[in-house]
Amino acid sequence: MAIDRRREAAGGGSGRQPPPAEENGSLPPGDAAASAPLGGRAGPGGGAEIQPLPPLHPGGSGPHSSCCSATAAPSLLLLDYDGSVLPFLGGLGGGYQKTLVLLTWIPALFIGFSQFSDSFLLDQPNFWCRGAGKGAELAGATVTGRWGDMGNWTTPPTTPFSTAAWGAAGNRSNSGTDGGDTPPLPSPPDKGDNVSNCDCHEWDYGIRTGLVQNVVSKWDLVCDNAWKVHIAKFSLLVGLIFGYLITGCIADWVGRRPVLLFSIIFILIFGLTVALSVNVTMFSTLRFFEGFCLAGIILTLYALRIELCPPGKRFMITMVASFVAMAGQFLMPGLAALCRDWQVLQALIICPFLLMLLYWSIFPESLRWLMATQQFESAKKLILHFTQKNCMSPESDIKGVMPELEKELSRRPKKVCIVKVVGTRNLWKNIVVLCVNSLTGYGIHHCFARSMMGHEVKVPLLENFYADYYTMASIALASCLAMCVVVRFLGRRGGLLLFMILTALASLLQLGLLNLIGKYSQHPDSGMSDSVKDKFSIAFSIVGMFASHAVGSLSVFFCAEITPTVIRCGGLGLVLASAGFGMLTAPIIELHNQKGYFLHHIIFACCTLICIICILLLPESRDQNLPENISNGEHYTRQPLLPHKKGEQPLLLTNAELKDYSGLHDVATAGDGLPEGATANGMKSM
């Protein structure tokens, strides 16, 4: 047949048949490593996902090496980092690599403290006019509704969750992370019946977070000044967004290590200065720069952690960092109770970053990034440093990595910026899909948090600050534990799809079913009541928060795996910044007294439906080698969720077979490549 005749014609000179392709268009496990320079190893659930790259002339060898050494690609052995260089260094078996991974886990605890600090620094306390006592000044102002009879308190308690307290997956350290969302802060009393509530010049406060004084009580950010609390929350989030975008591009250009070290230095400067703020304007400004530097630390640690690990260990290593960051979230209330004052708490959160100054001398640059950007002189020194630390012998270099490296020392570095992704066909699509997923996951998380913690749900347990705080933390912990199980069996794409479907279902049921229950509850004979509606609302909110947290964290991790090394930090910065934009909608709606909240939830619910379709366009990266350059990233192909029946023509073909299926072999010679613009059906794209 056509494909067989094509293979015979192409392989007639050497007498060797090209490796047969599987039905899904990828190579079988036995031939993947031999045909692709970065050959994706076959995972437990299916064939390899990276198509074979076009043949390249290895630098320093072959008949044309003398005349083409300046322009030819480097040796394929050096480009195959996961298959050649990492096994030569012992993978994670070497003691030095384990030490470096441990050094990326420890700061996750400090990052967890910083991400959840707003829950304590900016919590809205109860307040009453000083001198009148709790019962005399506002004896007639009784707060009802969800909070019950609050007597003479001017404002109801609110939940403690700051929109800046989040992580990827972390990415929490990276980040990963749970979005600590804030249900609405109390709006200033209306100028009417409660005009006397704000007719006071001095206030007494009842702070619920274990502190004697916080930012709100220090500068009286209540009533007409309550909007400044939201601006203070904006500042850290906006700083994180700009930090992800800018430090990501810089880390791809100058390296991960310089960005990490300079971010540590400046977060110490700005973070400690925050504790010395004299007014809320200074506090908000310095928090912006603190968030900017914190983004640089989160981003570079996430990338370094990914680039240190072999394919089978990447997800486990990342999830450990997420659990360490959650430990910081759980320990934060105790830390606040010990400090008692917000300035001491802020200083205590930042001071542990002093330990990271030692990273200047003990943490090296990413070897994978040096190899991908062809900085072979620096890579050689670092490889020798690794072998010395691990007490390795030269005989362990079975594949001859060092001799090949010696031939490439004169090559000039080749660095790439994230803007290069615009000219790609597949890579930009994958990054955009993951950006929309992270935006939707973290954006809709606030909708579920408000539904559960908002004033419309009458649950006495959720009126307590610590109950609210640990409920959110427990949901995030359960979500990460579920991610470990789901990703293990379904892979990255299958897990992301499952959690997104759960998010969409919880959102649609909460928007539609609860309104239906509300209508039936108005009829006495229906058997429905407001308590039934509240229980359903809490159940859907818990499921939604559980699934949306997993969607956001898994999107960040997915991006780190499918983005090439040369632009990995830039791609991660885009996805993390999108997550920040999603969470930024929460304080914006709070600033407008929850106006437009229902529309906000509807928009994100529609986005979940779009994301479900877009996730099917993503490739599966489980047990695959990380792409090193843009060309490698372009060769990731998606695999159908359901295998096609025998006898059906596969829709996903390798580049070598595309012409045979389309019939173009009748007019092309055996040695020609695929004509530009040819499609699978033989038509030219216009």
Side-chain angles (χ1 to χ4, degrees):
M1 284 101 63
I3 295 180
D4 295 333
R5 292 197 304 269
R6 172 64 176 161
R7 287 175 176 168
E8 292 174 1
S14 60
R16 180 179 181 271
Q17 294 288 343
E22 289 186 345
E23 291 180 343
N24 60 9
S26 57
L27 296 178
D31 297 326
S35 58
L38 291 176
R41 298 189 297 109
E49 289 294 328
I50 306 179
Q51 292 187 358
L53 298 179
L56 301 174
H57 295 288
S61 62
H64 304 288
S65 60
S66 59
C67 61
C68 302
S69 59
T71 58
S75 170
L76 302 183
L77 185 68
L78 300 180
L79 292 178
D80 188 9
Y81 187 90
D82 284 314
S84 301
V85 181
L86 195 58
F88 166 55
L89 299 177
L92 280 180
Y96 188 53
Q97 290 91 312
K98 292 180 180 178
T99 302
L100 294 180
V101 170
L102 179 63
L103 291 176
T104 65
W105 285 343
I106 295 175
L109 183 67
F110 315 148
I111 293 171
F113 289 150
S114 297
Q115 287 176 330
F116 289 90
S117 59
D118 274 359
S119 301
F120 299 84
L121 300 179
L122 297 172
D123 177 63
Q124 189 77 15
N126 303 302
F127 57 96
W128 59 91
C129 193
R130 181 175 299 175
K134 295 184 181 181
E137 178 74 14
L138 302 172
T142 302
V143 181
T144 59
R146 171 196 175 208
W147 305 101
D149 187 3
M150 294 292 294
N152 303 311
W153 298 75
T154 50
T155 59
T158 57
T159 55
F161 307 108
S162 163
T163 55
W166 68 283
N171 152 29
R172 287 260 170 153
S173 61
N174 80 262
S175 128
T177 118
D178 175 30
D181 298 301
T182 311
L185 288 176
S187 58
D190 297 331
K191 299 296 182 180
D193 296 337
N194 297 326
V195 67
S196 61
N197 289 3
C198 288
D199 289 344
C200 184
H201 301 289
E202 293 184 355
W203 302 95
D204 284 330
Y205 297 93
I207 302 176
R208 306 170 299 139
T209 60
L211 297 173
V212 174
Q213 184 186 60
N214 66 359
V215 174
V216 178
S217 63
K218 180 175 178 63
W219 292 307
D220 294 330
L221 304 182
V222 295
C223 292
D224 293 337
N225 292 324
W227 62 272
K228 296 180 181 179
V229 177
H230 303 294
I231 299 301
K233 292 179 181 179
F234 290 164
S235 61
L236 186 66
L237 261 181
V238 174
L240 283 167
I241 292 172
F242 278 94
Y244 288 135
L245 295 173
I246 296 175
T247 59
C249 296
I250 297 176
D252 286 332
W253 194 258
V254 304
R256 286 76 163 114
R257 183 172 177 266
V259 174
L260 174 63
L261 297 175
F262 279 101
S263 298
I264 294 169
I265 293 173
F266 284 104
I267 198 174
L268 287 170
I269 295 174
F270 291 116
L272 292 176
T273 311
V274 166
L276 304 177
S277 300
V278 296
N279 53 47
V280 68
T281 303
M282 180 178 177
F283 176 86
S284 300
T285 304
L286 292 174
R287 288 283 280 181
F288 169 85
F289 291 106
E290 181 187 349
F292 189 97
C293 300
L294 184 64
I297 296 175
I298 295 173
L299 187 64
T300 51
L301 286 176
Y302 203 105
L304 286 168
R305 192 179 301 118
I306 290 288
E307 292 171 356
L308 278 169
C309 301
K313 303 292 185 181
R314 290 194 296 259
F315 187 72
M316 181 194 70
I317 296 299
T318 303
M319 292 310 299
V320 170
S322 298
F323 290 126
V324 174
M326 287 180 193
Q329 180 181 0
F330 278 96
L331 293 175
M332 192 64 190
L335 197 64
L338 289 175
C339 294
R340 307 292 290 170
D341 187 84
W342 75 270
Q343 293 175 306
V344 178
L345 178 63
Q346 172 67 18
L348 192 60
I349 289 172
I350 297 299
C351 283
F353 286 103
L354 286 169
L355 300 175
M356 294 188 68
L357 292 176
L358 299 174
Y359 283 31
W360 185 275
S361 59
I362 62 178
F363 208 98
E365 182 57 84
S366 171
L367 178 59
R368 189 188 295 267
W369 177 78
L370 292 174
M371 299 289 287
T373 54
Q374 301 180 17
Q375 301 181 65
F376 296 121
E377 184 69 36
S378 300
K380 177 186 175 182
K381 296 178 181 178
L382 189 53
I383 288 177
L384 295 175
H385 180 67
F386 270 80
T387 56
Q388 181 183 1
K389 289 288 185 179
N390 292 328
C391 301
M392 298 173 58
S393 61
E395 289 76 11
S396 60
D397 188 9
I398 301 175
K399 295 187 177 182
V401 173
M402 293 303 294
E404 288 292 334
L405 192 59
E406 291 286 348
K407 300 176 184 178
E408 305 288 348
L409 293 180
S410 59
R411 189 176 294 274
R412 296 181 59 183
K414 186 177 180 181
K415 300 177 182 179
V416 184
C417 183
I418 187 62
V419 296
K420 291 289 184 181
V421 79
V422 177
T424 62
R425 290 187 177 184
N426 296 322
L427 195 54
W428 74 269
K429 171 196 66 181
N430 296 336
I431 293 178
V432 168
V433 169
L434 292 173
C435 285
V436 176
N437 274 270
S438 62
L439 173 68
T440 303
Y442 283 108
I444 204 170
H445 190 90
H446 166 69
C447 299
F448 292 120
R450 182 190 180 277
S451 297
M452 186 173 69
M453 306 291 186
H455 58 81
E456 71 275 7
V457 179
K458 306 175 183 63
V459 181
L461 176 63
L462 301 180
E463 297 178 12
N464 182 271
F465 173 88
Y466 294 105
D468 292 346
Y469 186 88
Y470 283 114
T471 298
M472 299 283 287
S474 299
I475 292 173
L477 179 61
S479 178
C480 287
L481 291 173
M483 266 200 305
C484 296
V485 178
V486 171
V487 172
R488 173 67 179 83
F489 291 99
L490 299 181
R492 280 64 159 148
R493 185 177 63 166
L496 185 58
L497 182 61
L498 175 62
F499 287 119
M500 184 60 77
I501 291 174
L502 289 177
T503 304
L505 288 175
S507 181
L508 295 176
L509 289 173
Q510 193 168 52
L511 290 172
L513 183 61
L514 294 184
N515 288 334
L516 183 63
I517 293 176
K519 292 180 180 179
Y520 276 105
S521 63
Q522 297 176 1
H523 301 284
D525 300 332
S526 63
M528 295 291 182
S529 62
D530 289 339
S531 62
V532 175
K533 181 180 177 181
D534 290 343
K535 292 177 181 178
F536 274 107
S537 179
I538 292 175
F540 294 147
S541 297
I542 291 175
V543 173
M545 293 168 64
F546 169 87
S548 61
H549 172 262
V551 166
S553 300
L554 198 52
S555 298
V556 176
F557 176 75
F558 209 158
C559 176
E561 285 199 319
I562 67 176
T563 307
T565 301
V566 291
I567 56 171
R568 178 163 294 120
C569 285
L572 271 173
L574 289 174
V575 176
L576 287 169
S578 299
F581 276 114
M583 289 182 297
L584 196 61
T585 59
I588 291 176
I589 290 181
E590 292 170 7
L591 186 61
H592 290 83
N593 298 323
Q594 303 302 320
K595 293 179 180 178
Y597 161 75
F598 188 73
L599 180 61
H600 173 219
H601 198 167
I602 289 178
I603 292 174
F604 278 114
C606 295
C607 288
T608 59
L609 301 178
I610 298 174
C611 290
I612 291 173
I613 301 174
C614 293
I615 288 172
L616 300 176
L617 302 175
L618 297 173
E620 176 55 62
S621 59
R622 179 174 60 176
D623 291 326
Q624 301 293 329
N625 296 342
L626 292 177
E628 303 300 334
N629 51 49
I630 292 181
S631 177
N632 302 146
E634 276 291 276
H635 282 77
Y636 262 108
T637 58
R638 63 185 179 89
Q639 183 182 18
L641 290 178
L642 299 176
H644 59 273
K645 298 178 181 179
K646 292 183 178 181
E648 289 183 349
Q649 181 62 48
L651 300 178
L652 300 176
L653 298 177
T654 60
N655 292 335
E657 294 179 331
L658 187 55
K659 292 187 300 179
D660 301 313
Y661 175 51
S662 63
L664 297 178
H665 65 284
D666 296 332
V667 295
T669 60
D672 290 339
L674 181 66
E676 183 178 0
T679 60
N681 58 7
M683 302 297 293
K684 295 283 186 177
S685 59
M686 299 302 293

